[in-house]
Amino acid sequence: MNATVQLTGKARTFPSDEIIVSKTDTAGRILYANDTFLKISDYTEAELIGKPHNIIRHPDMPSCIFNLLWETLSAGQEMFAYVNNRTKYGDNYWVLAHVTPTYDQEGKIIGYHSSRRSPTDSALAVIEPVYAKLRAEERRHQKKKDAIAASSKMLRAFLDEKGMPYEAFIFTIINA
């Protein structure tokens, strides 16, 4: 990730009829980025191909969500998640991501495919405060491992209170 990018505080959106698409290898390096991805992120194809997908990770995004994402994908399952991303120039944009493993002919995971849509304002009004609490918990810890463990515990408690797993929670707010 390019840590030298200054955040602008400017939020971007993209049309609801457009889809951001990317493909990565199993290490999360970008193999493909569609035109919508390039346009919203301000990166060129040459700047993205071969780079870690976390080049667009916004620092306000809770690490426990990415931890959950990787656990889910590594188990061969798809995942839906709201993600706050950062452009090349420091703006941010939210997406509703659908990430799936890609398999070879022998059934081995060889990469991941992500399709991302523009989320509704009402869904963001629900998810942003949840993520802010998770990130605040992470920032209380000096060690990344401890931060992820603490925020993951907080996320589990929140979902247990709701009586549902993360993906079910996400589906309840898609059209909130």
Side-chain angles (χ1 to χ4, degrees):
M1 180 171 70
N2 187 353
T4 62
V5 173
Q6 295 294 314
L7 300 178
T8 66
K10 179 182 173 192
R12 287 201 184 169
T13 60
F14 58 100
S16 61
D17 63 343
E18 291 188 29
I19 300 174
I20 296 172
V21 178
S22 60
K23 295 179 183 180
T24 68
D25 62 16
T26 56
R29 288 182 297 265
I30 299 170
L31 304 174
Y32 169 79
N34 75 345
D35 289 340
T36 303
F37 187 2
L38 301 176
K39 183 172 59 176
I40 191 77
S41 72
D42 289 325
Y43 284 98
T44 66
E45 186 176 50
E47 290 172 315
L48 287 177
I49 302 301
K51 299 294 189 298
H53 207 286
N54 68 5
I55 193 171
I56 61 166
R57 183 177 294 176
H58 194 283
D60 287 342
M61 197 49 211
S63 295
C64 68
I65 300 300
F66 291 111
N67 192 58
L68 177 61
L69 174 72
W70 283 110
E71 286 176 358
T72 303
L73 293 173
S74 296
Q77 300 171 353
E78 67 182 346
M79 183 167 164
F80 288 84
Y82 285 97
V83 179
N84 187 10
N85 290 316
R86 175 178 64 185
T87 71
K88 179 179 174 179
Y89 301 113
D91 297 347
N92 79 294
Y93 61 100
W94 280 90
V95 298
L96 172 58
H98 177 218
V99 188
T100 60
T102 303
Y103 297 92
D104 67 11
Q105 292 177 337
E106 287 79 40
K108 179 183 171 194
I109 296 174
I110 58 170
Y112 305 101
H113 179 273
S114 180
S115 298
R116 297 172 307 279
R117 295 186 176 277
S118 184
T120 63
D121 289 340
S122 57
L124 292 180
V126 175
I127 203 70
E128 286 183 291
V130 174
Y131 281 13
K133 289 177 186 174
L134 294 171
R135 192 64 186 143
E137 179 61 26
E138 289 177 357
R139 288 183 175 139
R140 292 183 49 244
H141 302 271
Q142 290 184 339
K143 295 181 181 174
K144 185 173 183 170
K145 182 178 176 182
D146 295 341
I148 292 173
S151 62
S152 293
K153 181 179 178 182
M154 180 182 272
L155 178 61
R156 279 191 305 277
F158 171 79
L159 295 170
D160 287 348
E161 184 179 297
K162 297 268 183 207
M164 62 184 73
Y166 177 83
E167 190 167 278
F169 171 65
I170 294 305
F171 285 134
T172 68
I173 64 172
I174 286 177
N175 295 312

